Amino acid sequence: MASRCELLLICVLSLLFAVSHSKTLKRDESCVQTVIRSDSIFCLISSCVGSCATVKALNEIKASLGWRVVYSWVGDDPCGDGDLPPWSGVTCSTQGDYRVVTELEVYAVSIVGPFPIAVTNLLDLTRLDLHNNKLTGPIPPQIGRLKRLKVLNLRWNKLQDVIPPEIGELKRLTHLYLSFNSFKGEIPKELAALPELRYLYLQENRLIGRIPAELGTLQNLRHLDAGNNHLVGTIRELIRFDGSFPSLRNLYLNNNYLSGGIPAQLSNLTSLEIVYLSCNKFIGNIPFAIAHIPKLTFLYLDHNQFTGRIPDAFYKHPFLKEMYIEGNMFKQGVNPIGTHKVLEVSDADFAV
């Protein structure tokens, strides 16, 4: 005859088996909750919350949060139970008879330590924002599980290692912020497999190698910032495919080791408004054709090795507000346009 301990074990295993075969659990009128304790982490199986994996993931994240969030994550239900509001930074949505966590925005709250792998169990996430914390180590390859993700914001952390190619599996991604970290290695060409990507921020890392020309096939990409890295190569290589970057408005390549000249074919990127090439190793003359980019507004050429004269057409361009040219070898009499300042674009300009 089975002992009480054996019967209890059978019950727990049966419950875990049921959970593993159900993404979410139905709500009922009494909102019955079952709690399993494992390694001091409570896993709430609730008709109000959804899957055990979701709640366990949020509790693991909670264990690493700064005090400002810990004290606002109260109650057992991250989505709110009627008497208590949802946990701060947690957004839930109703899908039929279920509620799922769709957004997690926990930024500037001093999260310390490795990227919380438990986040990758939140399979319904459309937005993940952990920017301006103190996350370290790599982005885990399990990030590729978040197939519904549209916005991934990890800027201003201390993340390291390579950018995982699994990010290329996030086919719905529109905004990718990886700037101001310590990523190394090359930019993965798998990012070119993101058909909805509009904004790509890679600046202020330790990236090396060439920017994949495959990125030019992204039909919706509007903003590419790869400045302040250790990148090499030429613009000609970057735009070598026919019809490259058809929607690109802002191109930031400043403070790298890019070389060669500016090819006249750059004028084929007719949506360009900002071209930021400062502090590289570019050489040669500035092609006349560049002055015919219709909406060109800011052109930064400073601190390279350009020579010759700048065509008069630049000075007659109806939209060109600023052209900065110092630190080159232009002929005497070549003048800038406008007053140079550090060009910064706020996140509000790219809000979803």
Side-chain angles (χ1 to χ4, degrees):
M1 184 173 180
S3 67
R4 289 182 60 191
C5 290
E6 290 172 331
L7 289 173
L8 178 60
L9 178 60
I10 292 171
C11 289
V12 170
L13 290 175
S14 298
L15 180 59
L16 289 175
F17 179 84
V19 170
S20 68
H21 285 73
S22 176
K23 182 179 180 182
T24 56
L25 300 177
K26 287 187 177 180
R27 272 185 289 177
D28 65 22
E29 296 299 327
S30 60
C31 192
V32 177
Q33 300 172 348
T34 303
V35 178
I36 300 172
R37 183 178 176 87
S38 175
D39 296 329
S40 301
I41 294 176
F42 287 98
C43 179
L44 175 64
I45 306 173
S46 169
S47 55
C48 292
V49 177
S51 71
C52 175
T54 295
V55 182
K56 181 178 180 181
L58 288 170
N59 275 291
E60 288 184 12
I61 297 164
K62 181 178 180 179
S64 66
L65 295 182
W67 63 268
R68 282 173 289 183
V69 169
V70 169
Y71 285 103
S72 64
W73 282 23
V74 295
D76 292 325
D77 190 341
C79 296
D81 60 8
D83 296 324
L84 293 171
W87 290 0
S88 176
V90 176
T91 300
C92 299
S93 299
T94 300
Q95 296 183 5
D97 292 332
Y98 311 100
R99 280 198 293 175
V100 296
V101 177
T102 54
E103 297 184 8
L104 181 61
E105 299 177 274
V106 187
Y107 50 84
V109 290
S110 300
I111 304 177
V112 177
F115 182 98
I117 295 180
V119 167
T120 63
N121 290 323
L122 303 177
L123 301 182
D124 293 289
L125 278 183
T126 61
R127 177 188 292 266
L128 176 59
D129 188 345
L130 301 177
H131 84 267
N132 199 12
N133 283 294
K134 298 178 182 178
L135 296 173
T136 57
I139 300 175
Q142 293 92 327
I143 195 72
R145 300 179 65 204
L146 302 179
K147 306 298 186 184
R148 299 185 179 183
L149 205 61
K150 295 181 179 180
V151 178
L152 177 58
N153 190 350
L154 300 176
R155 74 188 191 280
W156 286 108
N157 277 286
K158 298 180 180 180
L159 294 166
Q160 302 163 335
D161 213 336
V162 299
I163 297 172
E166 287 80 4
I167 290 180
E169 299 173 13
L170 309 178
K171 302 303 183 183
R172 300 185 185 183
L173 203 65
T174 61
H175 292 62
L176 179 57
Y177 303 84
L178 299 179
S179 50
F180 297 96
N181 280 285
S182 297
F183 292 115
K184 62 182 182 179
E186 298 187 352
I187 299 171
K189 63 181 180 181
E190 286 81 0
L191 298 184
L194 301 173
E196 303 299 323
L197 193 64
R198 298 180 182 178
Y199 300 99
L200 177 57
Y201 292 81
L202 301 174
Q203 73 270 28
E204 296 283 351
N205 281 289
R206 300 175 183 175
L207 300 171
I208 61 172
R210 288 169 165 75
I211 304 171
E214 289 82 359
L215 294 181
T217 65
L218 293 172
Q219 298 297 302
N220 296 300
L221 190 65
R222 301 177 185 177
H223 184 101
L224 171 59
D225 192 341
N228 289 90
N229 281 288
H230 305 291
L231 300 169
V232 298
T234 67
I235 294 178
R236 187 179 299 277
E237 294 171 336
L238 178 60
I239 62 173
R240 70 177 183 266
F241 296 129
D242 290 340
S244 287
F245 299 104
S247 301
L248 194 65
R249 298 176 184 175
N250 307 323
L251 177 62
Y252 288 70
L253 300 177
N254 55 291
N255 295 84
N256 281 291
Y257 299 98
L258 301 173
S259 57
I262 298 179
Q265 291 88 338
L266 186 63
S267 63
N268 293 333
L269 279 61
T270 56
S271 296
L272 281 176
E273 298 176 12
I274 298 172
V275 179
Y276 202 169
L277 305 179
S278 306
C279 302
N280 278 285
K281 297 182 178 181
F282 291 119
I283 61 173
N285 297 328
I286 308 301
F288 175 84
I290 304 303
H292 293 287
I293 298 176
K295 296 182 180 180
L296 186 63
T297 307
F298 297 96
L299 178 60
Y300 293 90
L301 306 172
D302 57 286
H303 297 94
N304 283 285
Q305 300 171 35
F306 292 119
T307 56
R309 296 188 180 278
I310 294 178
D312 290 341
F314 283 93
Y315 298 96
K316 299 176 182 178
H317 196 291
F319 292 102
L320 191 57
K321 295 180 179 179
E322 189 166 326
M323 180 175 66
Y324 199 50
I325 61 173
E326 79 166 19
N328 284 288
M329 295 181 284
F330 289 117
K331 290 186 177 180
Q332 189 173 1
V334 173
N335 296 313
I337 297 174
T339 303
H340 178 66
K341 58 184 177 182
V342 175
L343 184 63
E344 295 182 352
V345 184
S346 70
D347 292 338
D349 294 326
F350 305 114
V352 181

